[in-house]
Amino acid sequence: MSEEPAPFASSVVAAARSDAERLAADGRWTQEDSDGLDRIFERAATRALRTPRLSERSLALRRVARLVVPRPARPYLRRALAFVERPLGAVAARRDR
């Protein structure tokens, strides 16, 4: 895949580059800011790549659970799992800030 923008986006990219250069020249955008943006981008890219694998694993676990967990126990186990997942989601959200 090429790093060059599509023709319709070239004017937007040129304007963004000029804005970034002006902010850097004014001292309002530093290398620290660029590094932080790079870290955030990498984290988002890693999460985006990880999501399909987690979905596939979740589907496989649900299929196995249907074979193993008795039907009357399923709603209780779903609630228990949701109870455990909420705090874990909150921790992950704080970590990603």
Side-chain angles (χ1 to χ4, degrees), residues 56-77:
E56 291 169 7
R57 191 178 321 156
S58 176
L59 180 62
L61 288 173
R62 280 183 290 194
R63 287 180 180 158
V64 170
R66 285 187 191 127
L67 298 173
V68 176
V69 176
R71 186 174 292 270
R74 291 178 190 168
Y76 300 110
L77 290 174

Side-chain angles (χ1 to χ4, degrees), residues 8 20 23 27 29 32 56 60-61 70 73 87 94-95 97:
F8 63 90
L23 288 172
W29 187 264
E32 247 179 56
E56 291 169 7
L61 288 173
R94 275 194 303 247
R95 182 191 66 218
R97 286 187 200 174

